[in-house]
Amino acid sequence: QTYRTGPDGRRLPAEHPIVIDAHAAQVPIVRWAAGRIAALRDRQEHPHMGAVIWDDRRGGKTWISTVLIFATLIEVPTIDGQKTEGWLITQDANARNEIEQQIKDCFPGWATFREKPARLFQLVNGAKLLCKTTTDDESLQVGRVDVIFANELALMPESSFDISTRGLQDKDGYWIGTTNLPRRKRGNW
């Protein structure tokens, strides 16, 4: 539960790492994210801006996406000298509770959580994860963001995707979205 860096500023390997055991259906997104995180960290081009994880209910989409976004913030605490900023986007305030608790359970000691003036996890390395909703999707039109996890895309308006991903352009960030089969026309974008 310490964040050690070498003379070059890069994170040193953990003496006692937390091991995340992905199941077979999660392996493709974990491999993709590992390459995407490395490209972001090393400031290299990558052929994809984002990924959508589509599966039936209870497939582990939210869980693995939460781990991957938090891992990005651990691995890439700064980009071009600026603190890395991540967004967790859910359709409303109630939908984020499970994800916030997962972060607290999986990464104890890695971040402090506060609710005001904005809900956010401040990581020990300086990166931050803001918790946002699409209740007013226009509120996603603020500043730069480096990595986004949008949970349950089928429950969000398409405009939330268009608005939030614009902020990724500044530093060539990326996003991960999860979804089930849409039940309403609104989510079939």
Side-chain angles (χ1 to χ4, degrees), residues 2 7 10 16 19 21 33 58 60 87 90-91 104 112 114 124 127 130 135 144 147 155-156 160 173 187:
T2 60
R10 285 212 172 157
H16 306 286
V19 176
D21 198 10
R58 311 307 314 153
W87 290 358
T90 56
Q91 69 272 20
K104 293 172 187 175
T112 56
R114 72 171 195 235
V124 296
L130 285 147
T135 305
R144 171 190 131 237
V147 60
L155 301 176
M156 297 178 185
S160 66

Side-chain angles (χ1 to χ4, degrees), residues 18-183:
I18 296 172
V19 176
I20 304 296
D21 198 10
H23 62 72
Q26 296 168 328
V27 169
I29 191 62
V30 170
R31 287 187 175 145
W32 177 85
R36 193 59 183 86
I37 293 167
L40 185 63
R41 179 195 64 219
D42 299 338
R43 307 303 295 135
Q44 302 292 317
E45 286 189 29
H46 192 277
H48 306 117
M49 183 184 98
V52 174
I53 305 171
W54 180 83
D55 193 6
D56 206 353
R57 294 206 33 84
R58 311 307 314 153
K61 301 177 300 294
T62 299
W63 190 88
I64 199 65
S65 297
T66 303
V67 168
L68 294 172
I69 292 303
F70 206 82
T72 302
L73 297 172
I74 291 171
E75 182 65 20
V76 189
T78 61
I79 300 174
D80 298 335
Q82 296 179 317
K83 298 293 182 187
T84 304
E85 183 169 313
W87 290 358
L88 162 63
I89 303 174
T90 56
Q91 69 272 20
D92 58 33
N94 292 329
R96 67 180 170 222
N97 295 338
E98 173 189 1
I99 300 170
E100 289 175 354
Q101 190 59 52
Q102 179 188 334
I103 292 169
K104 293 172 187 175
D105 292 346
C106 287
F107 302 100
W110 274 97
T112 56
F113 177 73
R114 72 171 195 235
E115 294 184 37
K116 297 198 184 242
R119 293 181 76 85
L120 75 88
F121 288 91
Q122 182 72 54
L123 280 72
V124 296
N125 64 7
K128 62 184 175 181
L129 178 64
L130 285 147
C131 304
K132 298 179 170 273
T133 70
T134 59
T135 305
D136 174 12
D137 57 346
E138 292 294 323
S139 68
L140 299 173
Q141 239 182 56
V142 292
R144 171 190 131 237
V145 62
D146 304 305
V147 60
I148 295 172
F149 166 32
N151 194 45
E152 301 292 357
L153 294 171
L155 301 176
M156 297 178 185
E158 183 176 5
S159 58
S160 66
F161 169 80
D162 296 334
I163 292 168
S164 64
T165 56
R166 286 185 197 139
L168 295 170
Q169 297 171 355
D170 295 341
K171 303 290 181 184
D172 296 321
Y174 80 94
W175 65 274
I176 292 177
T178 64
T179 192
N180 296 318
L181 184 64
R183 293 184 180 177

